[in-house]
Amino acid sequence: QASGSAVLSLEVLSEVCATIVALWSNKFLRSRLLVQFEAIFNGFYGRILALLQRRPVAVDSNSFILNQSFDSECVIILESLVDIFCLLDESENINISPLESLFVAYDCNIACSDVTLDLIKGLCCCCGSTIASSNEQEGGVQLESPRQVPGYIRELCAEALIAGLKCLFHNVPLGDVVAQGSNPPLRDGLPLNQIEPDLRQIICKKNLLRAGAMLFNEKSTTGFKFLMDEGVLPSPLTPKDAAAFLRKGITLGLSKIAVGVYLGEMGKSSMPLKTYPECERDWFHQKVLKEYCNLFHFQSQSLLDGLRMFLSSFRLPGEAQQIDRIIQAFAESCGRQCVEAVDLNLFSDDDKKATDATYLLAFSIIMLNTDLHNDNIRPDRKMSVDAFVRNNSDYGRDVTDEGKPLPREFLESIYESIKMEEIRTEGEGAEGIMTVEQWTDVISGRCTHASDFGFESIAKTCSDGKGEVKFLVVEYIWKYILRAIDGFWSYDAGLSAGGSNSMLGAQEARLGMDLATELLIGVSNLKRQHIFDAIFASVCISSGLLSYDDDEVRRRNLFIQSVQKQSAVIVAIDIAKRSGNMSINCWKYVFGILFELRDLKLLGSKLLIESDPDLLNNAARKKWNSRMCLSHNRSFGGDNGNTDNSGVFNIVFSNIFANQVESSEEDVDGGSPDIVQSVHGKEKLFLWDEGGESDDEISDDHESVTGTDVVPSAGSLFENQLIHEDHFVYFEAPSQDKSQRMTQRARVRKRLAISCDFEALISESRFLTLEGVRHLLVAIVNLIKGGLFDMPGNTVQNEDGEINLRGIFDISPGSEAFAEVLICEIALKNRDRLGQIWDILEKHYLERLRSDKEDGIAEEILVSPGIEKCVTAVIRIGCRAVRREEITNRVIGVLKLLYPPVGKRAYECLNKHVGEGLWRMCNTDAGGLRVMDTKGWDALLGLIEWCAVSGADESESSGIENLSNDDPSLYAFRCLQFLLHSPDLKDAVPFDVVNVIQAIITSGDDKACPQLSVAALDLLLVLHSRLGVLMINSYVRPDVNDGDCFWLKYWLPVLSCMSNIVEHSKFDIVRHHALSMLTDVIIDSHGKVLSQKDVLSILMNKCVNLARGRFDALLKCEDMEEHVDAVNTEFELCLSLIFKPFLHYLHAKKLATNKRDFSDLWVSVLVTLRLLLGEHQEEEHSGMSDTSEHDTTSMMKRVRRRRLLTSTREVASERLQNAIMVLMAYGQIESADAQYEQGSLSDLTWKSIKSMQFCSTRIDEWVLLSNDGSSERVHVLETRSNYTSSESPDDNDRDEGINRIAQ
């Protein structure tokens, strides 16, 4: 009962509800009782939901008892509604849910009210939604302080919604579903009188009628004009159509007050020079009133029942003239059809008299109703039954036939009926009382609907639409269910003593979870992407983790203290794992939640671990994190001085900074003006894998709390987990020591780890479609850029406003690094599809790592944790891209971003990361590198070269003397050593590797590590040994021709590299090794294909000139006597560099062909030797004459220097003598005592020798030897004649022949 004064037996109510369920479950009866069921759903279920929302708060014991009784009735009624919503009609090829049946039968019928929508709205309001009730929409009075709906009733309402959704989404049609956004909005204004009335168009027309009704309530003319313009009502408008709209429009929101006012208006009469719309004319009003009355079925009804039925459809206006016109029209219609006129014959046979009698009696009944039920009239002044009988027995002979007054019994029955039951004008449906007269009106007025639209028609409609009905139902109700979910998750924590973490909060969390999960899964299966996005966004927003208006401590506390917010996170992660192939915006919400959980240290440690080992060792990682801490500390106003990043300060600072979330937040004064300190403080969180060290970490083995074989819902699992935790906290934990108890944050972290499978979001991404993986990556990339949560056109609207699903995401430096790690992990999990997603990754890495300056000038930037993980991600992906021919070159080519000029110079601090990554890339699968093209090799070798020349921090560990084991130069050497010695890459490594080797040699020299330079020189020798294979099979360039030029193009860089090392290295061991290698390489068989011009050029530039430079440098060395062995060795190696290649190519007939060029070469040799054998001897003798003036130490140095130079000159003189003997044997020069032309080669030779003071005294001896060695000269000529054009003599044979000539 509306007032709660009458109490219905619960047993009787249970039987009534069971009867309703039984009737609905019978398909035959249901199809013939559709009209009756409309009245039941509106007047029974809908009304109880409305009354439930308006129930006042108990103020005394009586009201408390009444509320309890009312709640008991609500439980019985709602349980029957749950039973109805669970009744799925399953037959052959047809599965129809109750929501579909109700929706097609009523919501898709213009003549019926929106039963489905009203029930859903009522249930959602009882769940806590803020949707305005129909009572508020119609101007009804809402109680000022209604009570909150009890929790167990809210649970029944949620169960009804969940049951309806389960049946609705049962056996969702798969296959050809309607594409996203293909259906027009339900409020499209279309000329419906020209379109076939399918379901969607019926709904559109019904919505237009509803909009027209709202306009009519404000002004009748505006409403009619709108409906005519939209084609809902015909134009011109007829009175019959207008009357039908007024009669049926009540179910669509038409105000009874507005209807009564329009029916009572007289209208406007015609006037000169003025025109009015027809709907405002007097004649139109009269005809509308008449047609309106004719729409009622007064047959077989008493006048009183007909009047009750008539007045319940509108509200009488307050003006007497308007009431008079309405009652007059009623009398004309009812007076000819009512029981009193037809069956009882109480009125005159004359139609006019019968009408007048009906009019007078009806008017008297209305006055009696006002008199008896008006509280302002005193009881003693109210009309008595005798007065009523006396006033209506006889109306006079103009109305009442003579001898036929109205019987007293008839009038007394009317009086008693009015006295017992007031004539009410409230609306039927949820907010009104369903009287017998209204029920009769329903049955009689709409009985044609039942015969034309039975269950068979509903079944056909639901089965032929390929899910169209399901789509319409979802589009119609999802916004309201979403508000119910929000009602559960935003339930006032103050209502319960325990707050939102109490059992009531756990119940709210469970109900919201189950409802949200059911709705999201169903909508996802229906492929309604735009609806799914809006619902999913709302769920994520309900977590409270996407709002950054408060500082970190307050955000964390709000989340920890609300199980509702935690349940929203669980639903979001669970749906993301189930659905997978979500839109970009949905993934942005998911990862926005993950990043916020990481910032609040509520994310489990499993996700904060990379699948590959760290590129830095433990010591280097600690030092790197320490340096990052100090850098960020200075950025926010810390010490800007030169603070050592090691020692006690670093340890203390790291510990404080790692636990900054546990301490209170304070404003930092004097911060850097370049970094704006925000309210949320995210810019201070930069260690991506830090956790809550003060909390107990979760264990790998989680305890099961289900205790049953039945698979529970996600909400039930979460509620059981909360119950289990409460049992532990209140019963088991008190017996433990305080140090062993988990903090509240640790409990929440463990709770989320048990309920959410965060790792599956990444590990199971390989099961997503290609589009799903791309959406996943794009979402994370957009978040790193600081993208927006943007849901255009999909905001959630209701009567109270709308939810804006658009916001800016703020990401901390630590979460930015975490995002880069996730991108890399997803790419590695999908390495089989890496080529199809690489365009996204490549664009991202190009934007993040490319230098903004083309000239490669160092930029003033701070290498953030995100940049670090971005660099390591490129390397990690490159390691996995090996052997994938379709993607290897594209991935490896991106390595150019890691070093100048494409990359930023500031990345030099990441050289250890890059070095270790390069070693893993080369060592993982060397054979896979064969598939790389020029672009890939250029990038790889360029990065190795950059590692070789980049600096490195000092470390305690020692690798090769001054270099640590993780020095980038060592990594570069190891990579090249592995590449050059790998059998799989014997003909694949490009010859440009020579530049990388030279960089390593230079790096060893710069870092005071000659062992590295010597080892790199050996790599140069290995490269030289494979020169032919590399040039022919691997790296032939189109701009190089065949022949000697081709060989010179690739052989000469090897020689240049060695000569550069000889010229610039500051370590004698490196120079000696390079000189020895250079000599051997020049006389190698590769030179046989070179032309004489090229050979002469090499000997001149790489041998003679280089030796001359070293002679000059050694002779100027002031401490020569302190390094006697090294200097002596270098002198001998330089002499070998001059004479061994000279004699080798002389034998190979590569020198003597061009006399002029050969003469220039030989003269250059003599000039070089003059540095050793020239005028130094005289200077030395003059110096020795003054030795008495120096101390003993200085004298000893001069003695050692003289001995060193003397021995060196002896060797040089012998080498020169041998060369002259060979030249004389080949006939290139004549003996010193022979006759030769002035200016000839012989003349130049002997003149130069005579100018050498050390050799001038030995010329006669050389001439004698040359004259006595004629037989040996013949032997040399014979040996020379046996040489072939394709073959050179062995080095040992050559040296033996030369020695014989010298002897």
Side-chain angles (χ1 to χ4, degrees):
Q1 300 297 318
S3 62
S5 58
V7 179
L8 184 66
S9 172
L10 296 182
E11 291 78 8
V12 175
L13 182 60
S14 298
E15 293 299 327
V16 171
C17 294
T19 303
I20 295 174
V21 175
L23 291 174
W24 178 264
S25 61
N26 190 298
K27 300 177 183 178
F28 177 80
L29 294 177
R30 187 198 315 167
S31 62
R32 284 151 182 80
L33 297 175
L34 288 176
V35 177
Q36 290 82 347
F37 271 115
E38 179 185 6
I40 291 174
F41 283 118
N42 285 333
F44 189 59
Y45 292 108
R47 180 165 172 257
I48 201 65
L49 292 173
L51 294 176
L52 189 59
Q53 304 168 49
R54 299 185 303 164
R55 199 69 185 174
V57 179
V59 295
D60 52 28
S61 60
N62 292 332
S63 58
F64 180 78
I65 295 174
L66 288 176
N67 283 349
Q68 275 192 328
S69 176
F70 176 77
D71 293 342
S72 300
E73 297 175 0
C74 290
V75 169
I76 296 174
I77 296 174
L78 290 176
E79 285 177 347
S80 65
L81 184 60
V82 173
D83 294 338
I84 291 176
F85 278 1
C86 291
L87 292 174
L88 180 66
D89 295 331
E90 294 182 343
S91 58
E92 187 177 356
N93 298 327
I94 298 177
N95 292 291
I96 305 174
S97 66
L99 290 181
E100 289 178 273
S101 300
L102 292 172
F103 187 78
V104 174
Y106 305 116
D107 296 67
C108 295
N109 193 322
I110 296 178
C112 299
S113 60
D114 293 336
V115 172
T116 308
L117 182 62
D118 290 340
L119 286 176
I120 295 298
K121 287 175 64 176
L123 291 170
C124 292
C125 287
C126 292
C127 290
S129 173
T130 56
I131 305 170
S133 64
S134 57
N135 179 63
E136 294 172 347
Q137 297 173 7
E138 294 181 6
V141 178
Q142 184 75 11
L143 295 178
E144 294 183 359
S145 57
R147 65 164 187 169
Q148 292 289 342
V149 179
Y152 58 92
I153 296 182
R154 286 160 57 88
E155 182 169 3
L156 279 175
C157 294
E159 289 181 1
L161 292 173
I162 295 172
L165 292 177
K166 284 185 176 180
C167 291
L168 177 64
F169 298 131
H170 181 73
N171 290 337
V172 172
L174 301 176
D176 297 330
V177 296
V178 181
Q180 174 183 351
S182 62
N183 290 330
L186 296 181
R187 292 185 180 272
D188 279 351
L190 302 174
L192 300 178
N193 54 347
Q194 302 175 5
I195 299 178
E196 296 181 4
D198 60 353
L199 296 181
R200 187 171 291 275
Q201 299 304 331
I202 291 175
I203 296 175
C204 291
K205 182 176 180 180
K206 199 170 184 179
N207 288 329
L208 290 174
L209 283 170
R210 187 176 288 107
M214 296 298 105
L215 294 175
F216 183 90
N217 294 338
E218 299 176 0
K219 187 177 181 180
S220 59
T221 305
T222 305
F224 282 133
K225 185 177 183 304
F226 171 79
L227 294 175
M228 287 188 293
D229 293 341
E230 296 294 340
V232 179
L233 294 180
S235 181
L237 183 65
T238 62
K240 186 176 182 179
D241 291 326
F245 171 71
L246 299 179
R247 180 75 171 92
K248 300 177 182 179
I250 300 299
T251 60
L252 300 174
L254 201 59
S255 172
K256 292 186 176 183
I257 298 176
V259 173
V261 170
Y262 186 84
L263 293 175
E265 285 183 350
M266 181 181 294
K268 299 178 181 179
S269 59
S270 59
M271 297 181 62
L273 303 179
K274 284 190 177 182
T275 57
Y276 300 101
E278 290 186 352
C279 60
E280 295 183 5
R281 297 294 300 277
D282 50 358
W283 63 268
F284 190 85
H285 276 270
Q286 295 175 9
K287 290 186 177 181
V288 169
L289 181 57
K290 183 178 180 180
E291 292 291 342
Y292 184 83
C293 294
N294 291 335
L295 293 175
F296 289 88
H297 298 270
F298 297 120
Q299 296 90 345
S300 302
Q301 293 194 53
S302 65
L303 185 144
L304 178 57
D305 291 342
L307 184 61
R308 287 181 183 274
M309 181 175 62
F310 181 70
L311 295 180
S312 66
S313 61
F314 65 94
R315 180 168 294 181
L316 280 174
E319 188 177 345
Q321 293 182 355
Q322 294 179 343
I323 296 176
D324 181 74
R325 281 190 288 271
I326 294 173
I327 298 302
Q328 182 64 41
F330 167 77
E332 293 176 356
S333 178
C334 181
R336 299 187 300 269
Q337 305 178 47
C338 63
V339 175
E340 288 84 354
V342 177
D343 297 335
L344 300 179
N345 197 22
L346 298 179
F347 300 145
S348 174
D349 295 334
D350 186 357
D351 291 341
K352 183 178 182 308
K353 290 183 177 182
T355 301
D356 292 341
T358 304
Y359 166 78
L360 293 174
L361 182 57
F363 215 105
S364 181
I365 292 174
I366 294 174
M367 294 177 64
L368 175 64
N369 183 77
T370 303
D371 186 83
L372 292 179
H373 298 283
N374 191 340
D375 295 336
N376 295 326
I377 301 177
R378 294 183 307 180
D380 59 323
R381 303 296 298 271
K382 294 182 181 294
M383 183 182 293
S384 63
V385 62
D386 295 332
F388 179 74
V389 172
R390 184 174 57 254
N391 294 335
N392 294 283
S393 296
D394 190 352
Y395 298 116
R397 56 185 177 181
D398 293 336
V399 176
T400 304
D401 291 340
E402 187 175 355
K404 293 182 63 176
L406 295 177
R408 182 180 179 87
E409 295 79 6
F410 169 69
L411 295 176
E412 286 180 351
S413 64
I414 293 177
Y415 184 90
E416 293 298 327
S417 177
I418 295 297
K419 184 178 180 180
M420 293 296 298
E421 186 177 355
E422 178 186 4
I423 297 178
R424 298 180 180 273
T425 58
E426 289 91 346
E428 60 186 85
E431 294 300 322
I433 298 176
M434 178 57 67
T435 62
V436 176
E437 294 77 14
Q438 290 174 346
W439 179 265
T440 304
D441 184 25
V442 169
I443 300 302
S444 61
R446 302 179 212 171
C447 59
T448 56
H449 169 65
S451 60
D452 296 338
F453 207 79
F455 175 78
E456 294 79 6
S457 177
I458 295 176
K460 184 176 185 301
T461 303
C462 295
S463 60
D464 292 346
K466 294 183 179 180
E468 180 69 16
V469 176
K470 295 182 185 294
F471 297 153
L472 289 175
V473 174
V474 171
E475 291 178 6
Y476 218 48
I477 68 175
W478 71 269
K479 296 178 183 178
Y480 304 105
I481 297 180
L482 187 59
R483 309 315 293 149
I485 298 171
D486 185 68
F488 283 122
W489 283 341
S490 61
Y491 193 68
D492 187 6
L495 294 177
S496 58
S500 60
N501 271 328
S502 66
M503 292 312 302
L504 182 57
Q507 181 196 45
E508 303 295 329
R510 170 177 60 83
L511 296 176
M513 288 179 66
D514 291 343
L515 194 55
T517 301
E518 204 65 47
L519 181 61
L520 283 168
I521 293 177
V523 173
S524 176
N525 293 336
L526 282 176
K527 305 296 188 297
R528 311 306 287 175
Q529 189 64 51
H530 62 293
I531 299 179
F532 178 88
D533 290 352
I535 300 172
F536 191 82
S538 179
V539 169
C540 294
I541 291 174
S542 298
S543 68
L545 295 177
L546 301 177
S547 176
Y548 315 111
D549 298 332
D550 298 317
D551 59 25
E552 179 186 349
V553 175
R554 178 168 174 79
R555 296 199 315 273
R556 185 186 67 235
N557 291 337
L558 288 175
F559 183 78
I560 289 177
Q561 295 171 4
S562 174
V563 294
Q564 291 94 329
K565 296 181 184 296
Q566 298 163 28
S567 64
V569 172
I570 297 172
V571 170
I573 300 302
D574 182 59
I575 294 300
K577 186 181 68 174
R578 290 193 191 187
S579 300
N581 300 301
M582 301 190 301
S583 66
I584 296 175
N585 283 321
C586 289
W587 280 119
K588 286 169 67 176
Y589 281 101
V590 172
F591 287 103
I593 290 175
L594 283 182
F595 297 153
E596 178 67 4
L597 288 175
R598 193 217 70 84
D599 291 342
L600 301 180
K601 297 185 181 178
L602 294 171
L603 196 61
S605 59
K606 288 185 177 180
L607 198 60
L608 299 177
I609 301 176
E610 295 178 279
S611 58
D612 296 331
D614 193 358
L615 294 179
L616 298 180
N617 55 40
N618 293 334
R621 172 55 62 187
K622 290 180 180 179
K623 184 173 291 187
W624 171 264
N625 291 341
S626 222
R627 184 167 62 178
M628 292 297 298
C629 290
L630 293 173
S631 299
H632 282 267
N633 183 44
R634 296 190 189 103
S635 301
F636 290 98
D639 182 19
N640 292 323
N642 296 325
T643 305
D644 184 17
N645 56 358
S646 62
V648 177
F649 173 78
N650 174 55
I651 297 174
V652 174
F653 181 79
S654 299
N655 290 335
I656 294 175
F657 214 90
N659 292 281
Q660 60 177 321
V661 180
E662 294 293 330
S663 60
S664 60
E665 300 289 340
E666 297 180 358
D667 295 334
V668 179
D669 298 330
S672 173
D674 297 332
I675 301 181
V676 180
Q677 300 184 39
S678 61
V679 175
H680 49 67
K682 283 179 172 288
E683 62 277 356
K684 301 178 184 179
L685 307 174
F686 51 88
L687 297 180
W688 77 276
D689 56 348
E690 64 177 340
E693 289 81 359
S694 61
D695 295 346
D696 298 329
E697 294 297 334
I698 60 175
S699 60
D700 294 333
D701 299 328
H702 304 306
E703 299 180 17
S704 176
V705 294
T706 56
T708 177
D709 295 335
V710 180
V711 179
S713 65
S716 298
L717 286 174
F718 185 61
E719 187 179 35
N720 292 339
Q721 175 66 22
L722 294 175
I723 295 173
H724 177 75
E725 289 180 10
D726 287 340
H727 175 77
F728 176 80
V729 170
Y730 294 110
F731 294 97
E732 299 180 19
S735 61
Q736 295 182 354
D737 184 69
K738 290 185 177 180
S739 61
Q740 299 178 354
R741 300 178 189 175
M742 295 180 65
T743 63
Q744 192 175 8
R745 185 174 66 179
R747 289 180 60 195
V748 174
R749 187 190 303 118
K750 180 177 181 180
R751 185 184 304 160
L752 293 178
I754 294 175
S755 303
C756 301
D757 192 358
F758 294 112
E759 296 80 11
L761 296 178
I762 308 302
S763 62
E764 295 184 7
S765 62
R766 62 185 184 275
F767 301 120
L768 300 179
T769 63
L770 177 61
E771 183 182 10
V773 177
R774 292 177 64 86
H775 286 175
L776 186 63
L777 292 172
V778 172
I780 305 178
V781 170
N782 289 345
L783 288 181
I784 294 176
K785 296 178 181 177
L788 300 176
F789 294 123
D790 195 0
M791 306 286 287
N794 286 321
T795 54
V796 180
Q797 299 181 357
N798 59 16
E799 292 82 349
D800 295 335
E802 66 180 28
I803 293 179
N804 188 6
L805 301 180
R806 181 185 177 95
I808 299 177
F809 176 75
D810 294 308
I811 187 170
S812 66
S815 291
E816 180 185 349
F818 182 42
E820 294 291 354
V821 172
L822 293 181
I823 291 177
C824 180
E825 294 293 337
I826 293 171
L828 297 181
K829 295 297 181 183
N830 294 271
R831 51 186 176 273
D832 293 336
R833 298 183 289 185
L834 189 58
Q836 297 169 297
I837 61 176
W838 180 246
D839 56 328
I840 300 174
L841 301 175
E842 185 177 27
K843 181 180 178 182
H844 170 62
Y845 294 138
L846 286 174
E847 292 177 354
R848 296 221 69 191
L849 301 178
R850 185 188 294 275
S851 174
D852 298 331
K853 299 182 179 181
E854 297 179 356
D855 55 3
I857 301 176
E859 302 172 44
E860 294 295 332
I861 65 169
L862 177 66
V863 178
S864 64
I867 293 295
E868 179 205 3
K869 290 305 174 182
C870 191
V871 170
T872 58
V874 172
I875 298 174
R876 292 176 60 196
I877 295 175
C879 294
R880 303 298 177 87
V882 178
R883 276 197 184 277
R884 301 183 183 278
E885 187 172 357
E886 73 283 358
I887 193 63
T888 299
N889 293 299
R890 295 174 60 191
V891 176
I892 301 299
V894 180
L895 296 178
K896 288 186 175 181
L897 296 173
L898 306 184
Y899 58 92
V902 181
K904 301 177 181 179
R905 290 191 179 275
Y907 298 157
E908 186 172 354
C909 62
L910 300 172
N911 49 20
K912 290 189 177 181
H913 302 72
V914 176
E916 173 64 25
L918 275 176
W919 173 240
R920 292 183 187 179
M921 188 181 304
C922 297
N923 192 32
T924 300
D925 189 359
L929 298 176
R930 292 185 59 86
V931 301
M932 288 199 305
D933 59 6
T934 304
K935 179 181 177 182
W937 278 111
D938 285 346
L940 181 62
L941 295 180
L943 189 57
I944 296 176
E945 181 178 359
W946 181 75
C947 282
V949 300
S950 63
D953 296 334
E954 296 182 359
S955 178
E956 296 180 359
S957 60
S958 178
I960 299 181
E961 286 191 356
N962 298 326
L963 298 183
S964 61
N965 287 326
D966 57 352
D967 189 273
S969 300
L970 286 182
Y971 279 123
F973 169 75
R974 292 165 185 163
C975 291
L976 280 189
Q977 185 184 38
F978 186 84
L979 294 177
L980 292 176
H981 286 86
S982 174
D984 296 331
L985 300 178
K986 183 177 182 180
D987 56 350
V989 180
F991 191 75
D992 285 353
V993 72
V994 67
N995 299 324
V996 185
I997 297 176
Q998 182 173 356
I1000 297 176
I1001 298 173
T1002 304
S1003 176
D1005 201 69
D1006 295 339
K1007 297 178 181 180
C1009 184
Q1011 292 89 341
L1012 178 63
S1013 300
V1014 172
L1017 282 170
D1018 292 336
L1019 292 182
L1020 201 61
L1021 196 59
V1022 174
L1023 176 66
H1024 179 264
S1025 65
R1026 295 186 177 183
L1027 187 61
V1029 178
L1030 293 178
M1031 289 189 296
I1032 295 174
N1033 297 334
S1034 174
Y1035 210 57
V1036 177
R1037 298 196 176 185
D1039 57 336
V1040 179
N1041 299 323
D1042 295 333
D1044 57 351
C1045 184
F1046 173 84
W1047 285 93
L1048 185 64
K1049 179 75 174 181
Y1050 292 97
W1051 190 45
L1052 189 59
V1054 177
L1055 305 181
S1056 300
C1057 178
M1058 296 179 180
S1059 61
N1060 288 336
I1061 299 304
V1062 172
E1063 187 175 358
H1064 298 101
S1065 178
K1066 58 186 179 182
F1067 295 100
D1068 50 12
I1069 186 175
V1070 178
R1071 294 194 303 271
H1072 297 169
H1073 199 62
L1075 283 169
S1076 177
M1077 289 176 54
L1078 181 61
T1079 303
D1080 294 339
V1081 168
I1082 290 178
I1083 65 177
D1084 190 83
S1085 60
H1086 291 145
K1088 64 186 178 182
V1089 299
L1090 299 179
S1091 65
Q1092 179 182 355
K1093 181 179 179 181
D1094 294 332
V1095 171
L1096 289 171
S1097 176
I1098 290 174
L1099 294 181
M1100 178 69 75
N1101 297 320
K1102 306 301 179 186
C1103 296
V1104 179
N1105 292 343
L1106 180 62
R1108 182 188 306 166
R1110 291 312 307 158
F1111 285 161
D1112 185 62
L1114 291 174
L1115 292 174
K1116 291 179 180 180
C1117 181
E1118 297 180 357
D1119 58 347
M1120 179 193 306
E1121 59 279 356
E1122 296 180 1
H1123 308 280
V1124 175
D1125 294 338
V1127 173
N1128 187 47
T1129 301
E1130 189 164 351
F1131 272 127
E1132 293 182 1
L1133 290 173
C1134 288
L1135 291 172
S1136 297
L1137 180 64
I1138 294 175
F1139 288 105
K1140 289 185 70 173
F1142 178 82
L1143 295 176
H1144 170 77
Y1145 285 106
L1146 186 63
H1147 288 313
K1149 298 187 291 186
K1150 290 289 186 179
L1151 300 180
T1153 304
N1154 190 328
K1155 297 295 184 179
R1156 182 175 180 179
D1157 292 339
F1158 176 74
S1159 177
D1160 293 340
L1161 174 63
W1162 176 243
V1163 170
S1164 179
V1165 171
L1166 295 176
V1167 171
T1168 301
L1169 292 177
R1170 191 180 301 169
L1171 294 176
L1172 280 177
L1173 306 175
E1175 41 262 346
H1176 291 283
Q1177 185 177 8
E1178 181 179 353
E1179 295 176 0
E1180 248 188 14
H1181 283 298
S1182 62
M1184 287 298 296
S1185 62
D1186 298 331
T1187 55
S1188 59
E1189 301 177 2
H1190 298 80
D1191 56 14
T1192 306
T1193 302
S1194 176
M1195 182 183 66
M1196 294 300 298
K1197 288 183 179 180
R1198 287 184 176 273
V1199 170
R1200 287 195 296 269
R1201 181 183 182 91
R1202 184 181 61 188
R1203 290 177 179 176
L1204 173 62
L1205 291 176
T1206 301
S1207 62
T1208 300
R1209 287 167 180 164
E1210 289 289 347
V1211 175
S1213 176
E1214 293 177 1
R1215 292 296 184 98
L1216 178 60
Q1217 177 186 351
N1218 292 339
I1220 290 176
M1221 295 298 103
V1222 173
L1223 288 174
M1224 293 173 61
Y1226 277 96
Q1228 296 298 322
I1229 61 174
E1230 299 295 336
S1231 175
D1233 57 350
Q1235 299 293 326
Y1236 42 81
E1237 296 181 0
Q1238 188 74 16
S1240 64
L1241 183 61
S1242 301
D1243 181 51
L1244 295 175
T1245 300
W1246 294 113
K1247 285 183 179 180
S1248 177
I1249 294 175
K1250 290 177 182 180
S1251 65
M1252 302 178 188
Q1253 296 182 5
F1254 192 84
C1255 297
S1256 60
T1257 59
R1258 305 184 182 189
I1259 295 178
D1260 296 338
E1261 181 182 354
W1262 293 1
V1263 171
L1264 180 61
L1265 291 174
S1266 64
N1267 292 333
D1268 294 340
S1270 58
S1271 60
E1272 294 297 340
R1273 188 182 302 114
V1274 172
H1275 173 74
V1276 171
L1277 292 175
E1278 291 177 354
T1279 304
R1280 182 184 61 183
S1281 63
N1282 293 330
Y1283 293 158
T1284 61
S1285 59
S1286 61
E1287 187 173 290
S1288 298
D1290 185 73
D1291 291 344
N1292 295 329
D1293 295 339
R1294 251 194 331 269
D1295 292 340
E1296 184 179 353
I1298 294 173
N1299 291 333
R1300 284 199 300 268
I1301 293 174
Q1303 293 174 0

